[in-house]
């Protein structure tokens, strides 16, 4: 699929919307030590859920050995994420548009170790958020969050990467990837970052406010398209990616909220293996 024109269609108006301190220790120092100890205890006491991780003996280097279903992590030739060398992309000359039919969407958020799955929930009286590419319709199913970003632009990474995963009726995946940098507070994400910061491992929470999904899409800048894979086991290939060059912003607090439980949940860069990256 090749895309050169971005047409945005919105179905409705979206609003982006203890212990006493030791005698030679100050109260502030004691408080800081107590907080650090508490956080360390909390993080080490959590029971892992997944059979893979982002570090250690179950880290990305070993995914293909952990489970036969993950073997493509080692043998695949079209794996994600990748570094996008903007000097080596090919101009996308296709005239076909990608159209957005996004609606404010509420998500059910589940945490499994350092993985967050924000699953789109149907809302009575409101259509699902969808995109159309080459006449093919894909429905927004979930948002995955990585800190720092998994994809890179000319070797540079961002604070956060939001991956908007869409699926067609014939089970094809189309992922739109949005970079995030520190800046103004992002109103479009609703209470997502707060939920992620407080969510215990293995637990699920439903957002109280909807995400203004259209507000996550950058208005300007180049886009890069390539064929790749999912970035978590089983890293299945046959996934179409669209990466926006221009990042959106989140406040320092919002980014820290995401980093609290997810920091360093990014798969290393994979080999391009002669794949073409298209730009428009």
């Amino acid at each position: 699929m090749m895309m050169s024109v971005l047409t945005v269609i919105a179905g409705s108006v979206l609003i982006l919307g203890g212990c006493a301190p030791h005698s030679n220790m100050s109260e502030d120092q004691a408080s800081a030590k107590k907080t650090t100890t508490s956080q360390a205890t909390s993080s080490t006491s959590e029971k892992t859920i997944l059979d893979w991780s982002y570090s250690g003996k179950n880290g990305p280097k070993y995914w293909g050995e952990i489970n036969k279903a993950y073997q493509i992590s080692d043998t695949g030739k079209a794996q994600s994420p990748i570094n996008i060398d903007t000097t080596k992309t090919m101009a996308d000359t296709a005239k076909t548009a990608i159209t957005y039919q996004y609606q404010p969407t509420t998500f059910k958020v589940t945490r499994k170790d350092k993985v967050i799955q924000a699953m789109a929930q149907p809302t009575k009286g409101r259509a699902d958020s969808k995109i159309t590419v080459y006449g093919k319709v894909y429905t927004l199913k979930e948002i995955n969050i990585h800190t720092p970003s998994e994809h890179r632009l000319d070797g540079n990474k961002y604070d956060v990467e939001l991956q908007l995963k869409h699926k067609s009726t014939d089970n094809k995946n189309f992922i739109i990837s949005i970079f995030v940098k520190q800046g103004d507070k992002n109103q479009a994400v609703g209470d997502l970052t707060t939920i992620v910061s407080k969510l215990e491992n293995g637990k699920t929470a439903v957002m109280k406010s909807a995400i203004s999904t259209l507000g996550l899409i950058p208005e300007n800048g180049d886009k890069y398209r390539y064929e790749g894979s999912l970035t978590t086991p089983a890293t299945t290939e046959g996934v179409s990616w669209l990466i926006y060059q221009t990042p959106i912003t989140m406040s320092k607090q919002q980014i820290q909220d995401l980093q609290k439980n997810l920091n360093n949940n990014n798969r290393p860069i994979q080999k391009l293996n002669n794949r073409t990256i298209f730009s428009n």
Side-chain angles (χ1 to χ4, degrees):
M1 293 182 289
M2 297 185 177
M3 297 161 286
S4 61
V5 180
L6 174 64
T7 305
V8 179
I9 300 177
S12 61
V13 177
L14 305 183
I15 300 177
L16 297 188
C19 297
H22 193 276
S23 58
N24 63 353
M25 185 184 297
S26 70
E27 290 185 6
D28 288 344
Q29 289 174 322
S31 178
K33 181 177 181 180
K34 182 178 179 180
T35 299
T36 302
T37 303
S38 175
Q39 290 175 341
T41 302
S42 175
S43 62
T44 56
S45 63
E46 288 186 339
K47 182 178 180 180
T48 57
I49 296 174
L50 302 172
D51 63 354
W52 57 271
S53 69
Y54 285 100
S55 62
K57 63 181 181 180
N58 292 327
K61 182 179 179 180
Y62 306 103
W63 286 355
E65 304 171 9
I66 295 172
N67 189 316
K68 288 184 177 181
Y70 307 162
Q71 287 182 346
I72 198 171
S73 297
D74 289 337
T75 62
K77 301 300 181 182
Q79 291 286 290
S80 297
I82 61 171
N83 173 57
I84 298 173
D85 185 339
T86 59
T87 67
K88 297 181 180 180
T89 59
M90 181 178 291
D92 194 343
T93 58
K95 300 298 182 182
T96 303
I98 170 174
T99 61
Y100 286 85
Q101 296 164 299
Y102 271 7
Q103 308 289 337
T105 305
T106 300
F107 290 78
K108 181 170 64 177
V109 186
T110 299
R111 178 185 163 208
K112 296 179 181 180
D113 301 338
K114 287 191 174 185
V115 175
I116 283 290
Q117 291 177 302
M119 309 296 295
Q121 300 300 293
T123 301
K124 185 177 181 180
R126 180 184 295 166
D128 292 333
S129 289
K130 300 179 179 181
I131 58 173
T132 302
V133 185
Y134 275 104
K136 189 171 187 173
V137 178
Y138 299 80
T139 302
L140 177 62
K141 294 296 185 179
E142 63 183 279
I143 297 178
N144 302 124
I145 306 169
H146 297 273
T147 64
S149 66
E150 294 197 299
H151 288 86
R152 299 193 182 192
L153 283 179
D154 295 322
N156 299 311
K157 59 186 176 182
Y158 285 87
D159 294 318
V160 179
E161 181 176 343
L162 302 178
Q163 297 173 356
L164 283 61
K165 182 180 179 181
H166 305 73
K167 193 175 289 291
S168 63
T169 54
D170 60 350
N171 212 36
K172 300 297 183 181
N173 291 308
F174 194 103
I175 301 178
I176 295 174
S177 193
I178 310 298
F179 294 126
V180 180
K181 68 178 182 179
Q182 185 175 318
D184 294 336
K185 183 177 181 179
N186 191 299
Q187 303 293 344
V189 298
D191 59 341
L192 177 63
T193 60
T194 301
I195 287 178
V196 171
S197 71
K198 297 179 179 179
L199 197 58
E200 295 180 4
N201 199 16
K203 301 298 183 180
T204 296
V206 177
M207 295 181 63
K208 295 180 180 179
S209 59
I211 289 180
S212 183
T213 49
L214 194 60
L216 300 179
I217 306 300
E219 296 181 357
N220 304 305
D222 289 339
K223 299 177 294 297
Y224 302 96
R225 179 180 59 81
Y226 80 99
E227 295 300 310
S229 73
L230 300 178
T231 65
T232 57
T235 68
T236 308
E237 295 184 349
V239 177
S240 298
W241 284 87
L242 185 68
I243 317 292
Y244 276 82
Q245 180 186 55
T246 302
I248 60 174
T249 65
M250 286 187 185
S251 68
K252 181 178 181 180
Q253 184 61 59
Q254 286 178 310
I255 291 174
Q256 289 178 338
D257 283 346
L258 296 179
Q259 292 173 334
K260 181 178 178 181
N261 289 321
L262 306 183
N263 205 27
N264 297 318
N265 67 342
N266 56 315
R267 187 189 188 191
I269 294 297
Q270 303 297 298
K271 293 180 180 180
L272 190 58
N273 291 325
N274 297 314
R275 283 176 284 174
T276 301
I277 304 173
F278 295 94
S279 64
N280 61 43

